[in-house]
Amino acid sequence: MNMMQKQHSPPLPSTPTNRIRQRRRAKSLEVLPDPSKLNGGNLPVHDQNKYRSMWIRTHSSLWMLGGVILILYLGHLYICAMVVVIQILMASELFHLRRRVHEDKQLPGFWLINWYFFFTAMLYVYGRILSQHLVNTVTSDQFFYRLVNSLIKYHMVICYFLYTAGMVWFILTLKKKMYKYQFGQYAWTHMILIVVFTQSSFTVANIFEGIFWFVLPAFLIATNDVAAYFFGFFFGRTPLIKLSPKKTWEGFIGGSIATVVSAFLLANILGQFQWLTCPRKDLSTGWLNCDPGPLFKPEYYCFPIWLPEWIPWKGVSVLPVQWHALCLGLFASIIAPFGGFFASGLKRAFKIKDFGDSIPGHGGFTDRMDCQMVMAIFAYIYFQSFVLPQTNSVEMILDQIVRNLSFEEQERLYMMLENDPWGLWIVIKLEKNSAGRYDG
C-alpha cells in the first residue's frame, strides 16, 4: 500500500527546496555510462572479443595468401581466371542488395537480365584488352588468324547489338506497378558495371604487362589494410571518419608508413624474378624469358663524402622501379582507402554490416576488393603514363606488322626485304614474331 501511495502521490509543490530534491533524485536514477564506451567505444582497442576476431581474420588471411601464391605460380591465365571469378562473386553480392523477394516472385526470370548485361560488358571490356594477345596466340595458324581478326574487327558491333538486345528484353519485361523496381534494378546493374566491374577489369591489363604490376599494387593494399588494422588494434584512440567508426588516425598513419616502406623493399625483391617482370604478349602458359629492361637493372648510388668513415657502406644499389613503387605506395596508403570508405557508406545506406559472409572475419569479396578496384585503375594509368615507353621502338613496329598484315602481305614484305642485305635481320625478327615471341 505504501508503494502504491508513493507511486500515485500528487507532485510536490514547486518550491526551491523541492526542485533541488527532484534534481538529486533524477541524477540518482541516471544510468552511468559504460567506461568501455567512453572515448570511442566502437574502436577495436575496446572490443571485448577483439582477440577472437583477430584470430579468425588472421587465419582466413593466411589461407587466402596461400591460394594467391599458388595461382601466381601457375601464371598469367590462371591469375586472370581468378580475377574473373572474384568479379562474378562481387557482382552476385551486389545484385542481392537490391533484390526483393515479393517483387522477384512477380517477375520470374527478371534477375537474368542483370547477368546478361554483366557478361555483355565482360565480353566488350576483355575483348578490348586481350584482342592483340589473342592475335599473337593464333598467328601460326592461317585459318584461326583470319577468324580472330574478323571477330576483332566486328567486336564493337557485336557487343553493341548484344547490349541493344538486352535493352529490348528489359523493355518487354516491364510490368504495371513494377516500373519503379525494374528501372531501379536497371540503374543498379549499370552502376555495378561502371563502378565495380570496369575498374577491376584493369587488373587484367596490368597482369599482361607483367605479373609484377599486378602483385605489387595488390600487395600494397593488403599491407596497408593489415598494418592499419594492427596499429589501430593496439594503439587506436582517435576516430578517423564517421563512415567507418573502427578506423583510427593511429591506424591510418601507421598503415601509411608501413605501406610506403614495404613498397620500396618489395619492388626490389619482385624485380629479381623474370617470371614476374616479363610481359605476356599472347595467351600461352609457357615460362617467360626476356630482357628485364632498364627498370629492373640495378643502379648504384654513392653516399655523400661527408658521411663518417666508420660506416661500412659507400653506396646502395637500387632498381629504378623502386622509385615508381614509392608513388604506388603513397597512393595505396592515402587515396585507395577512400574506396573502403565509399563501400562503408554504401553499407550504411543499405543498413548492412558486410556485403557477404564468404570470407570468415572479412565479410564478402566486395569487402576485400573495395580498395583494390581503386588501386587497379591507378596502377594501369600510372604504368601507361609514366612507365611504358612512348616511342615507337623496333619491337613495337614489328608487333604492328605481325598484327595488321595478312600472311600474303607478310610474305611479300619478306621478299622485298630479302633483296636488301640489311633487311635480313628484320626478316629473322618477323619470322620469330610470327611463330610467337614468348614460347615456353
Side-chain angles (χ1 to χ4, degrees):
M1 290 296 293
N2 292 335
M3 292 294 293
M4 294 295 292
Q5 289 176 0
K6 286 182 180 179
Q7 291 179 0
H8 297 284
S9 60
L12 296 174
S14 179
T15 63
T17 305
N18 290 337
R19 284 198 295 269
I20 292 173
R21 289 177 180 174
Q22 289 175 2
R23 289 173 185 170
R24 289 176 179 174
R25 185 181 302 172
K27 288 182 179 180
S28 65
L29 294 175
E30 287 181 358
V31 179
L32 293 175
D34 186 354
S36 66
K37 304 209 170 180
L38 295 173
N39 192 24
N42 288 326
L43 300 181
V45 73
H46 297 290
D47 289 348
Q48 294 180 357
N49 298 323
K50 63 177 184 178
Y51 289 104
R52 180 176 178 273
S53 175
M54 182 181 68
W55 168 249
I56 295 174
R57 191 182 180 99
T58 303
H59 191 260
S60 58
S61 298
L62 291 175
W63 274 103
M64 286 192 295
L65 179 62
V68 169
I69 291 175
L70 175 62
I71 294 174
L72 290 177
Y73 175 77
L74 293 176
H76 299 70
L77 287 183
Y78 294 92
I79 302 173
C80 293
M82 176 187 69
V83 172
V84 171
V85 170
I86 291 175
Q87 286 179 324
I88 293 173
L89 294 173
M90 290 171 60
S92 177
E93 292 173 354
L94 293 171
F95 284 151
H96 277 86
L97 284 183
R98 292 278 301 175
R99 283 192 187 142
R100 300 174 188 169
V101 177
H102 176 70
E103 284 80 355
D104 284 347
K105 286 183 179 179
Q106 299 184 47
L107 298 167
F110 182 73
W111 59 273
L112 290 172
I113 298 178
N114 295 339
W115 288 109
Y116 177 86
F117 281 117
F118 177 83
F119 286 110
T120 300
M122 182 176 290
L123 176 64
Y124 176 76
V125 173
Y126 286 137
R128 301 287 290 181
I129 293 175
L130 301 177
S131 59
Q132 297 302 333
H133 299 81
L134 184 59
V135 169
N136 292 342
T137 304
V138 299
T139 49
S140 58
D141 188 288
Q142 187 173 358
F143 171 77
F144 284 109
Y145 180 81
R146 291 177 175 175
L147 176 64
V148 169
N149 271 300
S150 299
L151 291 175
I152 291 175
K153 181 179 180 180
Y154 300 107
H155 169 256
M156 189 177 294
V157 175
I158 294 171
C159 292
Y160 173 75
F161 280 107
L162 286 174
Y163 179 83
T164 304
M167 186 175 63
V168 172
W169 180 13
F170 167 76
I171 293 173
L172 293 177
T173 60
L174 291 175
K175 190 174 181 180
K176 192 175 181 180
K177 297 182 179 180
M178 303 294 294
Y179 296 152
K180 185 176 181 180
Y181 175 74
Q182 288 179 284
F183 276 100
Q185 286 288 328
Y186 185 84
W188 180 246
T189 300
H190 283 72
M191 192 280 287
I192 293 173
L193 296 180
I194 295 172
V195 177
V196 178
F197 173 75
T198 304
Q199 289 192 84
S200 58
S201 296
F202 283 95
T203 305
V204 174
N206 295 337
I207 292 170
F208 282 93
E209 296 294 351
I211 299 178
F212 176 94
W213 298 104
F214 164 75
V215 173
L216 182 63
F219 181 85
L220 294 180
I221 292 296
T223 300
N224 185 70
D225 185 50
V226 172
Y229 176 79
F230 278 101
F231 274 99
F233 184 87
F234 290 107
F235 308 108
R237 292 294 187 279
T238 312
L240 175 64
I241 188 170
K242 291 182 179 180
L243 280 174
S244 190
K246 292 186 177 182
K247 304 292 185 183
T248 64
W249 274 105
E250 291 80 4
F252 182 79
I253 296 172
S256 298
I257 296 173
T259 302
V260 173
V261 173
S262 298
F264 190 78
L265 298 178
L266 183 68
N268 185 279
I269 297 173
L270 298 178
Q272 310 296 327
F273 300 96
Q274 286 192 6
W275 174 243
L276 301 177
T277 59
C278 291
R280 172 72 73 181
K281 298 299 183 182
D282 54 22
L283 300 180
S284 62
T285 57
W287 198 261
L288 289 174
N289 290 302
C290 66
D291 182 4
L295 276 179
F296 300 99
K297 292 179 180 178
E299 295 179 353
Y300 191 79
Y301 295 88
C302 297
F303 290 151
I305 58 175
W306 47 261
L307 287 178
E309 295 183 358
W310 53 265
I311 295 179
W313 302 283
K314 302 303 179 183
V316 62
S317 182
V318 177
L319 299 180
V321 75
Q322 290 180 259
W323 307 119
H324 294 292
L326 289 177
C327 298
L328 296 178
L330 286 172
F331 185 91
S333 58
I334 298 175
I335 305 300
F338 282 87
F341 300 150
F342 178 88
S344 297
L346 190 62
K347 287 185 283 188
R348 282 181 171 268
F350 285 95
K351 298 180 180 179
I352 57 174
K353 183 179 182 294
D354 295 311
F355 288 105
D357 56 0
S358 307
I359 310 173
H362 293 268
F365 281 92
T366 309
D367 295 283
R368 288 299 89 215
M369 297 295 117
D370 45 15
C371 300
Q372 294 284 2
M373 293 183 297
V374 179
M375 190 67 194
I377 190 169
F378 173 76
Y380 175 81
I381 293 173
Y382 184 89
F383 179 85
Q384 297 293 327
S385 302
F386 302 107
V387 179
L388 189 67
Q390 299 300 317
T391 57
N392 292 324
S393 64
V394 175
E395 294 291 329
M396 294 175 64
I397 295 174
L398 294 177
D399 283 340
Q400 292 297 320
I401 292 174
V402 173
R403 293 170 184 169
N404 299 319
L405 297 184
S406 65
F407 275 94
E408 292 79 7
E409 292 171 329
Q410 291 183 31
E411 185 177 359
R412 193 188 320 158
L413 179 62
Y414 292 162
M415 295 178 64
M416 293 173 60
L417 292 174
E418 283 179 344
N419 296 328
D420 183 359
W422 295 101
L424 180 61
W425 178 81
I426 298 178
V427 171
I428 295 173
K429 294 292 291 185
L430 286 170
E431 292 175 348
K432 189 176 182 181
N433 276 340
S434 299
R437 289 169 51 199
Y438 293 94
D439 293 333

